[in-house]
Amino acid sequence: MSNVSRILPKASFTWRVSSALLVFCGLVLPVCAQQPLKTLLVGVDRRSVTSLDGDWHYLVDQPPAKGLYKPDGTVKEDGYGLNTHPNISSGPHNDEYDFATAPTMKVPGDWNTQDPALFRFEGVVWFERDFDFQAKAGARTFLHIGAANYKSFVWMNGKHVCDHEGGFTPFDCEVTAILKPTQNSVVIAVDSTRMVDGIPSVSIDWFNYGGLNRDVSLVTVPPAFIDDYDVHLKKEATFSSVNANTLTGYVHVVGAAAGTNVTVSVPEAGVRTTAKTDGDGKAAFEVKASKLELWSHETPKLYKVELASGEDRIDEEIGFRDIRVDGTRILLNGKAIFLQGANMHAEAPIRTGRAYSDEDVKNIFGFLKDLNANFVRLAHYPHDERMERMADKQGIMIWSEIPLWQHISFEKPEVYAKATFMLNEMIRRDRNKASVILWSVSNETPNNPTRTKFLTDLANEARRLDATRPITSALIGPHAKGDQIVQDDPLANALDVVGQNEYVGWYEGTPDEADKLHWTMPNKPILMSEFGAEAKFGDHGGRNDRWAEEQQVNVYEHQFVMINKIPQVRGLVPWVLMDFRSPGRNIPKLQDGFNRKGLFSEKGEKKQAFYLFQKTYKERLVGKAE
């Protein structure tokens, strides 16, 4: 059975496995024989939690990872997860491991940059932490893990409580009945091994940072508690600023009897309404605000939103806005917009490693502000929730995607099941973030009918989950025929906004050849979602000298000539904001394990191309909103 099955939501969960997925799975596939559904908490960062961040003991379980796996590949229930201690003085002893005397590393964090011996290690590392915890009588407690890459197996006080597959989305394990007042032990095995049938698959163009990469905490909630909610501006058939004053959505309460009251309040907007849960614990509402300032890049207004039911309460901060597509235009609150941004990996500036901290986010948004950007594509997977929170506050719009990157096992139903759950987890966590304006289902996938069916179904699943946002994907190719490029990928038919990746002047042709190219594109908004060239900071030369900062500028200047001839282009998203680690980049002294297409170096140094984009964005020299 796929490990993803152990973390599915409870039957009372507000999102469901679609009927299309059930048909896709059929009755013969073991992956679809799901275990009882479990909870996934939304808004954990808005609750008072007991943090388990800090020093954790760790042990490396080198291949074939005998501490975790049996010879047949199944999980070993009597291995390291039991956290027994060796009797080294008189015996007999355990399987010869001991967390108590093991070294420690910081959580959150990746193991690759914390232990030099593990820099290139991909496999299983075990983490353990001891803690005391005074449980509140009658309450329920969940272990919340913001993300761990890639597979996770969790034991609490010797009991195997949950597993999770996916390196960039959160999961929760209920531990209410297992916790003790003192001497608790949580053990988590994290396996970063890449798999052909994983998402992403084995060949990726970024560093595969393993570990407990985001916050770990204990979340205590009442017996009946809010696990999910959606509060947004009602999307009418057409947008009118005069009538943009209705809030709608739902609050879901686990353990609530039908008819339980749920209160939604937005005091500053004059909103207070009470709704009642249905038999599934979901309370839908619709209410008019007496006054409402809409969220935008220029005025990123956030409102305090109070959600309450019984003993439970969550205080959110939410911006309200309307995002939609009209022909080839992208409309924010009825106004055509042009997106000026960059791609960004979840790579920590300055220190490198996986980005997870407030300081990391502050540095990244400092880069975006200096660039005069209003948009960022969070490539190629969901980033830490701090990114969306900061974007909400600063008015930076976001493209968020799941890691269906290039070659995926699109023919396998179990991989579609994984993709669907990752999509659910991403949308569920971030649907209340005004900054997120696009959900993306993939990047640079091969053009064939199997892939197209897979991603078309996934795009429709995204619409089912969230009908308020456009759906996109980044397409690649086709190659030019003479001076013509015709983008006829049928996946474009399933998208509201089409992302186009291309590297004319770097991987194809010379920079000046871009001037002559003519694109035939779908009659939809087009984002130039990747384009650029590599340059190492400090390397200088002629405009056509590979790896020189001057050549990177030259590539972009010719790209601008080409892009200005494509009337549907509604956004510039150069690859990439900052140099990032990628193990396939092995040209010594130039790359040294980094993709060098950044406008900034990994140390935050500004390349000449940064200043080109800074001026271009400030003066709006390329592209138009309509």
Side-chain angles (χ1 to χ4, degrees):
M1 180 179 295
S2 168
N3 295 311
V4 76
S5 66
R6 297 179 65 98
I7 53 82
L8 301 182
K10 236 177 186 179
S12 56
F13 218 156
T14 56
W15 61 267
R16 301 284 188 271
V17 180
S18 68
S19 58
L21 175 59
L22 295 176
V23 170
F24 207 113
C25 289
L27 298 177
V28 297
L29 294 170
V31 71
C32 296
Q34 306 291 6
Q35 294 191 4
L37 305 181
K38 296 188 177 181
T39 298
L40 176 58
L41 296 168
V42 174
V44 168
D45 64 336
R46 310 304 302 178
R47 291 184 178 273
S48 177
V49 303
T50 300
S51 175
L52 294 181
D53 293 348
D55 292 328
W56 287 56
H57 294 285
Y58 72 99
L59 293 170
V60 180
D61 198 358
Q62 293 187 347
K66 293 181 179 180
L68 177 60
Y69 298 119
K70 298 177 185 178
D72 64 359
T74 59
V75 173
K76 188 176 182 180
E77 295 293 347
D78 58 351
Y80 290 14
L82 298 184
N83 190 20
T84 58
H85 301 283
N87 184 348
I88 60 176
S89 58
S90 60
H93 56 262
N94 66 0
D95 288 334
E96 302 189 14
Y97 68 94
D98 188 19
F99 287 113
T101 55
T104 63
M105 70 169 58
K106 297 292 184 184
V107 170
D110 59 87
W111 65 61
N112 309 85
T113 57
Q114 293 194 69
D115 183 342
L118 297 179
F119 179 66
R120 291 183 174 86
F121 180 74
E122 295 187 17
V124 175
V125 174
W126 291 82
F127 296 87
E128 188 274 339
R129 175 162 178 163
D130 300 318
F131 63 94
D132 297 336
F133 183 76
Q134 295 297 325
K136 184 178 179 182
R140 296 174 67 176
T141 301
F142 293 84
L143 177 71
H144 178 82
I145 299 170
N149 188 38
Y150 169 71
K151 284 186 178 181
S152 303
F153 308 87
V154 184
W155 283 260
M156 182 70 75
N157 294 332
K159 181 175 176 58
H160 190 180
V161 291
C162 71
D163 302 338
H164 182 259
E165 180 172 346
F168 305 100
T169 44
F171 61 100
D172 297 282
C173 319
E174 182 161 18
V175 293
T176 306
I178 305 168
L179 288 172
K180 305 178 294 184
T182 60
Q183 298 182 328
N184 292 283
S185 169
V186 56
V187 177
I188 305 176
V190 181
D191 187 352
S192 69
T193 304
R194 286 180 267 183
M195 307 182 303
V196 170
D197 294 342
I199 300 177
S201 189
V202 292
S203 179
I204 55 176
D205 186 20
W206 66 87
F207 201 90
N208 188 30
Y209 290 111
L212 294 169
N213 292 332
R214 296 181 191 158
D215 297 297
V216 179
S217 59
L218 292 169
V219 185
T220 299
V221 294
F225 61 93
I226 298 168
D227 71 325
D228 185 26
Y229 47 91
D230 176 16
V231 186
H232 63 272
L233 184 71
K234 185 178 180 180
K235 190 167 188 176
E236 305 286 0
T238 57
F239 176 83
S240 167
S241 58
V242 175
N243 298 323
N245 59 2
T246 301
L247 302 185
T248 190
Y250 64 83
V251 178
H252 185 263
V253 186
V254 173
T260 298
N261 285 338
V262 173
T263 301
V264 178
S265 300
V266 190
E268 190 180 353
V271 168
R272 183 177 176 83
T273 188
T274 299
K276 294 185 182 296
T277 58
D278 60 17
D280 290 329
K282 184 175 181 179
F285 68 90
E286 185 171 305
V287 58
K288 286 190 178 296
S290 60
K291 53 181 178 179
L292 202 62
E293 179 182 347
L294 299 186
W295 185 96
S296 69
H297 171 64
E298 296 78 14
T299 56
K301 172 65 177 177
L302 299 178
Y303 286 89
K304 181 179 179 181
V305 177
E306 302 166 357
L307 310 172
S309 181
E311 301 175 47
D312 202 17
R313 174 185 172 122
I314 294 177
D315 290 337
E316 259 287 6
E317 278 190 309
I318 299 177
F320 302 108
R321 53 97 187 100
D322 183 274
I323 186 76
R324 66 179 69 210
V325 166
D326 178 34
T328 65
R329 301 185 300 164
I330 300 173
L331 304 180
L332 178 65
N333 303 327
K335 179 182 178 182
I337 58 173
F338 189 84
L339 301 175
Q340 300 184 141
N343 288 275
M344 180 67 199
H345 263 292
E347 182 98 0
I350 316 302
R351 67 173 174 82
T352 71
R354 182 64 71 219
Y356 63 80
S357 70
D358 292 335
E359 185 67 18
D360 295 336
V361 172
K362 178 182 176 183
N363 287 331
I364 292 168
F365 277 84
F367 295 168
L368 291 167
K369 183 177 180 181
D370 281 354
L371 193 64
N372 296 314
N374 64 6
F375 180 75
V376 64
R377 179 188 179 200
L378 299 184
H380 282 298
Y381 38 76
H383 288 214
D384 191 286
E385 193 168 3
R386 289 174 174 85
M387 291 289 287
E388 284 83 359
R389 293 295 189 189
M390 181 65 78
D392 275 1
K393 293 176 182 177
Q394 295 200 1
I396 301 294
M397 292 170 280
I398 284 176
W399 160 323
S400 184
E401 68 188 34
I402 57 174
L404 288 168
W405 188 88
Q406 292 194 2
H407 297 286
I408 298 290
S409 299
F410 290 113
E411 73 281 5
K412 296 183 180 180
E414 60 268 34
V415 176
Y416 183 81
K418 294 179 188 181
T420 302
F421 283 107
M422 287 185 189
L423 182 74
N424 273 274
E425 289 169 330
M426 176 179 72
I427 292 177
R428 183 178 171 88
R429 191 193 75 174
D430 291 331
R431 71 189 319 144
N432 292 293
K433 314 296 196 306
S435 56
V436 179
I437 63 166
L438 294 169
W439 300 125
S440 172
V441 294
S442 62
N443 177 75
E444 295 186 354
T445 55
N447 183 351
N448 61 63
T450 301
R451 179 276 328 220
T452 301
K453 174 65 165 60
F454 183 113
L455 293 180
T456 297
D457 288 348
L458 200 63
N460 289 332
E461 174 72 359
R463 293 185 178 94
R464 187 189 69 81
L465 294 166
D466 178 13
T468 72
R469 290 175 173 89
I471 309 302
T472 190
S473 173
L475 309 182
I476 189 68
H479 297 294
K481 294 181 178 179
D483 61 359
Q484 300 293 318
I485 301 179
V486 179
Q487 181 49 272
D488 56 1
D489 189 329
L491 179 58
N493 296 326
L495 307 176
D496 304 301
V497 175
V498 176
Q500 178 65 57
N501 295 357
E502 51 82 19
Y503 287 94
V504 176
W506 184 251
Y507 293 126
E508 292 186 75
T510 59
D512 60 300
E513 288 178 4
D515 299 8
K516 307 170 187 176
L517 290 175
H518 296 274
W519 287 77
T520 300
M521 302 292 284
N523 193 39
K524 295 184 177 186
I526 306 297
L527 302 184
M528 302 308 288
S529 44
E530 289 185 27
F531 59 106
E534 293 198 54
K536 184 175 181 180
F537 174 79
D539 272 23
H540 296 287
R543 287 173 59 81
N544 289 307
D545 290 346
R546 300 279 282 190
W547 305 98
E549 289 189 44
E550 290 80 3
Q551 195 254 4
Q552 188 182 35
V553 169
N554 188 33
V555 169
Y556 279 127
E557 287 178 342
H558 286 288
Q559 283 274 319
F560 291 166
V561 173
M562 179 186 72
I563 291 169
N564 267 329
K565 295 189 293 185
I566 308 172
Q568 305 100 311
V569 168
R570 298 294 175 249
L572 301 179
V573 202
W575 188 268
V576 59
L577 184 65
M578 186 191 81
D579 291 352
F580 62 94
R581 274 203 178 98
S582 182
R585 307 289 173 159
N586 282 324
I587 301 177
K589 299 182 180 180
L590 286 174
Q591 293 174 313
D592 294 321
F594 282 85
N595 185 313
R596 296 293 184 191
K597 296 187 184 73
L599 305 180
F600 291 83
S601 76
E602 74 278 11
K603 297 178 181 178
E605 300 154 320
K606 296 174 181 175
K607 303 179 190 179
Q608 290 184 13
F610 162 82
Y611 297 102
L612 172 67
F613 274 92
Q614 184 185 53
K615 175 181 173 64
T616 299
Y617 286 172
K618 182 178 181 179
E619 300 178 12
R620 301 182 182 276
L621 300 176
V622 178
K624 54 188 179 180
E626 54 188 334

